[in-house]
Amino acid sequence: MIEYPKVAVVILNWNGKFFLEKFLPSVYNSTYPNVEFIIGDNASTDDSVSFVREYYPTIRIIQNDDNYGFAGGYNKVLQQVEADYFVLLNSDVEVTPSWIEPVVDFMQKKDFIAAQPKIRAYHQRDHFEHAGAAGGHIDYFGYPFCKGRILNITEKDEGQYDAENEVFWATGAALFIKSSAWHEAGGFDADFFAHMEEIDLCWRLKKMGYKIGYTSKSIVYHVGGGTLNTSNPKKTYLNFRNNLLMLQKNLPFWRALAVIWTRLWLDLIALLHFLAEGKPRDAWAVSRAHQYFFLYFFKTALKRKKYNAKENKTGLYKKCIIWDFYTNKIQKYNKLSVNNFHNK
């Protein structure tokens, strides 16, 4: 008799009744034989919780007493969940019935501590979706990108990234992670609130020597921007702020100084670009991100840790993806030289 490890699929909700109505049926029809479905609610003020209670009475609901964001919300909810694997799934994701099995099998066979399925766009179903695509990477200056998505350009999925392999980070839109690794790493950094918390978590796991994987044998469809769309200045603020915090936490000391110094100037260019585009609120968001970084510099410094294991750098890009994109006109992942990636 086959023993299936227990999987807990946890959807964090905040005023998301529309997405729950639309996408929860596909999740609920998952065929994996040992699964628990959980809605973690960040003190919603709509009737999403009552909707789940009425139409999905077997789904467990864990309610937080406030909106702690994506990072803090999941931290509080997962403290109350017991399973071998956690699946952190966005509420705006459509899945197929057999989406869980391939990822769990892949992780067990290849000894990956965390992994993601292929992420396609819900509204353009033959294209990769921005948040994760076919697995995440990060460049020398901390800019994240994916197989199938560089900056704001997403590729059509033509099977070019179907190889199962190791990546640097797995998307928080559909993150599979062993519960033991989640607890060992301490979960998300709650100060991030939202955006890049999964990259920070994966970076810590890599520093522990663990492997992060991607498999194309499972495909999900992500709407994206369900809570904050790409043009929201709050998203601009969180992305610029959290990227600096992540660099300060995870880079070696002297390299952190050099990279963050460079990033501050690059961010200034971005600020001026926002102003030139007539987006003063986004420009102010970049400034606010820098203000937070300096105000809480010493608090973030205390989060730096040394690990006994040899750091796994696989998936780190040795060059600057911004330079490659704008100067070298590289807009597809498979046009990047494999020699510019760390592979161990």
Side-chain angles (χ1 to χ4, degrees), residues 51-165:
F51 162 77
V52 175
R53 284 190 175 130
E54 180 177 357
Y55 292 99
Y56 298 93
T58 62
I59 291 181
R60 181 183 173 193
I61 298 174
I62 300 175
Q63 291 182 273
N64 292 330
D65 60 359
D66 201 352
N67 180 11
Y68 294 99
F70 189 91
Y74 263 120
N75 284 353
K76 288 184 174 294
V77 169
L78 291 179
Q79 288 175 357
Q80 305 172 61
V81 177
E82 292 186 5
D84 300 300
Y85 289 85
F86 296 150
V87 181
L88 283 61
L89 185 69
N90 277 18
S91 60
D92 61 345
V93 171
E94 178 188 74
V95 303
T96 56
S98 60
W99 69 289
I100 297 175
E101 294 96 320
V103 187
V104 173
D105 289 345
F106 168 68
M107 291 175 67
Q108 289 186 304
K109 292 176 181 177
K110 301 292 185 179
D111 194 30
F112 285 105
I113 207 75
Q116 69 159 81
K118 180 186 288 188
I119 313 291
R120 282 186 185 162
Y122 178 77
H123 292 297
Q124 196 175 11
R125 298 174 79 85
D126 60 350
H127 277 65
F128 290 103
E129 207 277 320
H130 184 277
H137 297 272
I138 197 168
D139 80 348
Y140 184 86
F141 294 101
Y143 292 109
F145 62 100
C146 307
K147 292 199 296 288
R149 189 271 296 175
I150 297 180
L151 300 191
N152 61 338
I153 302 296
T154 55
E155 299 179 38
K156 184 177 181 180
D157 180 13
E158 299 176 317
Q160 67 271 43
Y161 307 123
D162 276 359
E164 296 180 314
N165 51 26

Side-chain angles (χ1 to χ4, degrees), residues 207 247-254 256 299-307:
K207 289 171 72 175
L247 293 173
Q248 184 187 1
K249 288 177 59 181
N250 293 296
L251 284 175
F253 180 77
W254 292 109
K299 177 184 178 181
T300 306
L302 293 175
K303 298 178 182 179
R304 293 174 56 86
K305 293 182 180 179
K306 292 184 179 180
Y307 299 95

Side-chain angles (χ1 to χ4, degrees), residues 11-20 23 40-46 48 67-71 74 89-93 123 129 131 172-173 192-195 197 222-236 238-239 281:
I11 298 174
L12 189 68
N13 173 68
W14 182 69
N15 292 341
K17 182 184 176 183
F18 172 82
F19 289 123
L20 293 176
F23 297 117
D41 188 73
N42 258 343
S44 293
T45 55
D46 68 356
S48 51
N67 180 11
Y68 294 99
F70 189 91
Y74 263 120
L89 185 69
N90 277 18
S91 60
D92 61 345
V93 171
H123 292 297
E129 207 277 320
F192 277 49
F193 191 79
H195 298 296
E197 63 286 305
H222 184 213
V223 174
T227 304
L228 289 176
N229 62 50
T230 55
S231 62
N232 192 308
K234 185 174 181 179
K235 186 167 187 173
T236 301
L238 290 170
N239 278 330
R281 294 177 64 203

